[in-house]
Amino acid sequence: MDRVKKTAPIIIVVFTMILSFLMHLNIFDKGVTGYHTWRQSQTGWNIRNFYRYDSNIFNPRIASFNNGHDNILRYEFPMLQWGVAMAEKVFGETNRVMRVSIFLLGLFSLVGFYFLLRALGFSPLLSSLGVFAFNFSPVFYYYTVNPLPDNLALSAGIWYLYFFVESVKKERLGYSILAGFFISIAALAKLPFIILGGASFAYVLRLLLSKKHRNISLATQQTIIYFLFLIPVFLWYKWVIPGWSGNGILKGVFDNQISYGESQRILRSHAEHMFPYVLLNQGHWLFLLTFVFFYFKNKLFRKEIGIYLTVSLLFVILYFLLEINMINVNHDYYMLPFLPFLFMAVAYGIRYWWNYHKITRYLTLILLISIPFFCYDLSKDKWTAKMGGYPPDLEIYQEELTNAVPRDEKCIIVNDPSNYVFAYMIDKQGYIFANDHLPAGWITDLATNHHIKYMYSNSRKIDERADVKERIDSLILEAGSIRVFKLKEPVEK
């Protein structure tokens, strides 16, 4: 019996990983497609360019040269993108290598969550059941094979919370250093994840201000550790943020204000859809509601670790309210900072019903078994072109469109309002336009001064205009709604 108790948690965690692998098996060889393809394509371009042209991690590149002769675009520190590109240098540039690399990072997140639950006092068995429940959050399940820097930020954030909890419980320098390291990685990978560090902020404040828990030397030690690890975060974003002109995420509701009615609509959508069906699924609801009841009944927010995690969660909620106009109803990956807290709560509910009675243990098992089915049903269509919002012909004729022009030839591309998807799917870089706007003079300038020879177009308003036709040499390919043209060579003056 003791041997079963020891091996059961390992079996459950390994089973969770294998089941997730099998459920994603038909996705690993897919190109970037589906929900939020635009953000995945941006990440994909960083990976491609690190692999093919410039492996300098400080120079993340995209497809567009519209802003000059350079396609460098610095947002988050591109550790994930660079790491995947280095994996491709070893194993080859394939969709499988890219997706498997992201999937392995997802497994690292699961291991971190297991240790976090153990640090919070959950038994090995219940920790493994918590991992199982976490893995089938629809948003985690979807993005765990998709190229987004948020995956690295979430993983590092979970490991930060684990080492933070251990550092508070055991007051060991090594745990604090590791907590500082992982919150630094999380913030570098995606700046908003720095809010998870609210737990450490609350801990230091308590060490300084509480008469009962005052410890000035420990507070000083903690402050120095986190300060040193956050220096790279400060330096990177101090360098790159001035180049984020037009990025509404910087000022949130203070820059792009929305009406009270619009904010109500967004909050209602999050309450009715985002939280219950994207971050969670139907199999999680009872466990979460159980935690909410006991959180207030037993005043868990007054317990030492509970205080710090509650402050961290409050920081996440504040971030959500500040960025509500940018998150709106569809930017689900902006909501990933909520996951560790939601699933610590779900794990608490699992533990309660598992231990309450033999009958409720069977109920718990039934709900746990249902979780992957609900997750699959909610996620199965997210990898389709329809969910991506781009012209279906891009996917239907992807191979023909890609091969119509040599890979390294820069091209004119219209229309691509995302600035990434069209270019990524045809594997071409160049000058990208949207909204049926491309003056004929620009075509002449690009052909003459930038040696552009080809144009991809899904816009008849552009390619059938008389002044544009004058600059077209021939039609190379017509693939559904998309045409590929060879441009006339510029006349020597």
Side-chain angles (χ1 to χ4, degrees):
M1 183 63 72
D2 289 339
R3 188 174 180 181
V4 172
K5 287 184 178 180
K6 288 180 180 179
T7 58
I10 298 173
I11 292 171
I12 292 170
V13 172
V14 171
F15 171 76
T16 302
M17 294 176 174
I18 293 173
L19 180 59
S20 182
F21 175 80
L22 293 174
M23 290 173 69
H24 287 106
L25 202 55
N26 66 326
I27 306 298
F28 286 117
D29 287 324
K30 271 183 175 287
V32 169
T33 183
Y35 199 53
H36 287 305
T37 300
W38 76 270
R39 190 58 178 89
Q40 296 180 59
S41 296
Q42 180 180 351
T43 308
W45 270 119
N46 293 160
I47 295 168
R48 274 183 181 169
N49 285 319
F50 279 135
Y51 173 81
R52 294 177 182 175
Y53 307 112
D54 181 4
S55 59
N56 184 340
I57 195 171
F58 295 102
N59 293 335
R61 298 175 183 272
I62 55 172
S64 172
F65 287 80
N66 289 45
N67 294 323
H69 296 283
D70 201 339
N71 61 342
I72 293 174
L73 182 64
R74 299 181 179 96
Y75 276 140
E76 66 279 339
F77 189 63
M79 291 176 290
L80 177 132
Q81 297 94 312
W82 185 87
V84 173
M86 295 307 103
E88 289 184 341
K89 283 184 179 291
V90 176
F91 299 105
E93 186 189 17
T94 65
N95 293 320
R96 182 179 298 180
V97 171
M98 178 183 69
R99 289 194 182 276
V100 168
S101 298
I102 305 297
F103 180 73
L104 291 174
L105 181 61
L107 299 188
F108 187 60
S109 301
L110 296 181
V111 174
F113 191 67
Y114 174 85
F115 281 108
L116 173 59
L117 293 180
R118 291 288 292 123
L120 291 171
F122 288 80
S123 70
L125 176 62
L126 292 170
S127 296
S128 66
L129 295 177
V131 166
F132 183 84
F134 180 91
N135 183 70
F136 295 104
S137 156
V139 70
F140 180 80
Y141 175 81
Y142 176 64
Y143 287 115
T144 199
V145 292
N146 293 341
L148 277 187
D150 307 66
N151 287 309
L152 175 57
L154 174 63
S155 184
I158 291 170
W159 281 96
Y160 153 73
L161 289 171
Y162 161 64
F163 285 115
F164 165 75
V165 171
E166 290 286 48
S167 73
V168 172
K169 290 171 59 180
K170 299 175 181 176
E171 293 188 0
R172 292 182 185 173
L173 180 62
Y175 286 125
S176 298
I177 290 172
L178 287 168
F181 170 77
F182 278 106
I183 193 62
S184 176
I185 295 296
L188 280 168
K190 203 67 181 286
L191 182 58
F193 280 80
I194 198 170
I195 55 180
L196 297 180
S200 295
F201 177 73
Y203 179 47
V204 170
L205 278 185
R206 198 179 193 206
L207 291 173
L208 289 172
L209 302 178
S210 169
K211 292 181 180 180
K212 183 178 179 181
H213 299 90
R214 182 171 296 165
N215 188 330
I216 303 300
S217 73
L218 182 57
T220 302
Q221 177 203 80
Q222 295 292 303
T223 301
I224 291 172
I225 288 171
Y226 286 107
F227 174 77
L228 291 175
F229 275 109
L230 290 176
I231 287 175
V233 179
F234 171 77
L235 292 176
W236 173 259
Y237 288 105
K238 181 178 183 294
W239 182 32
V240 304
I241 283 178
W244 294 5
S245 59
N247 192 330
I249 198 74
L250 291 176
K251 297 181 181 178
V253 294
F254 296 109
D255 188 41
N256 300 287
Q257 295 183 8
I258 55 177
S259 67
Y260 177 75
E262 178 67 5
S263 64
Q264 290 291 98
R265 181 188 71 84
I266 294 171
L267 288 172
R268 190 180 309 113
S269 176
H270 278 262
E272 295 175 356
H273 178 72
M274 181 70 76
F275 277 89
Y277 294 107
V278 178
L279 305 184
L280 302 164
N281 70 50
Q282 298 92 314
H284 298 121
W285 295 352
L286 174 64
F287 304 131
L288 178 67
L289 292 173
T290 301
F291 170 80
V292 171
F293 174 79
F294 285 106
Y295 178 77
F296 292 102
K297 182 177 185 295
N298 296 340
K299 298 179 179 178
L300 300 178
F301 49 85
R302 291 188 176 180
K303 298 183 184 297
E304 186 180 18
I305 299 298
I307 292 172
Y308 309 138
L309 294 179
T310 296
V311 171
S312 187
L313 175 59
L314 289 174
F315 275 41
V316 174
I317 294 171
L318 180 61
Y319 147 78
F320 167 70
L321 294 175
L322 288 174
E323 300 293 345
I324 188 172
N325 59 315
M326 299 301 298
I327 296 170
N328 212 296
V329 300
N330 60 340
H331 284 93
D332 53 2
Y333 57 91
Y334 282 25
M335 303 295 289
L336 291 179
F338 279 99
L339 288 190
F341 303 99
L342 285 174
F343 283 92
M344 282 187 272
V346 167
Y348 184 99
I350 292 171
R351 181 173 65 182
Y352 175 80
W353 291 111
W354 185 268
N355 293 329
Y356 185 74
H357 193 275
K358 186 179 291 187
I359 295 176
T360 58
R361 183 170 296 184
Y362 290 122
L363 171 65
T364 302
L365 283 173
I366 291 170
L367 286 175
L368 287 169
I369 291 169
S370 76
I371 284 171
F373 293 96
F374 286 127
C375 178
Y376 177 77
D377 184 60
L378 291 166
S379 307
K380 64 181 185 299
D381 296 327
K382 285 194 171 182
W383 283 277
T384 61
K386 180 181 177 181
M387 294 296 289
Y390 49 82
D393 290 336
L394 269 177
E395 192 165 295
I396 296 169
Y397 302 105
Q398 186 173 13
E399 185 175 354
E400 295 95 323
L401 291 165
T402 301
N403 295 332
V405 173
R407 190 182 74 181
D408 291 330
E409 282 283 350
K410 293 185 180 72
C411 304
I412 294 170
I413 300 170
V414 288
N415 283 305
D416 187 359
S418 74
N419 211 41
Y420 303 107
V421 177
F422 196 154
Y424 188 85
M425 296 190 74
I426 63 173
D427 197 4
K428 299 293 179 291
Q429 302 185 75
Y431 298 86
I432 304 170
F433 303 95
N435 303 318
D436 295 319
H437 181 68
L438 179 58
W442 291 7
I443 299 175
T444 300
D445 174 67
L446 290 170
T448 304
N449 299 316
H450 299 275
H451 312 293
I452 302 301
K453 302 175 184 176
Y454 303 96
M455 180 172 76
Y456 285 78
S457 172
N458 62 9
S459 171
R460 303 295 81 84
K461 290 183 179 180
I462 289 177
D463 59 50
E464 292 185 352
R465 265 185 13 225
D467 58 345
V468 172
K469 283 184 175 181
E470 291 175 1
R471 289 156 173 83
I472 292 174
D473 178 86
S474 58
L475 175 66
I476 298 174
L477 173 69
E478 184 162 10
S481 63
I482 302 169
R483 295 172 179 173
V484 185
F485 300 97
K486 186 177 188 300
L487 302 175
K488 288 181 179 177
E489 293 186 12
V491 178
E492 294 288 342
K493 293 184 179 180

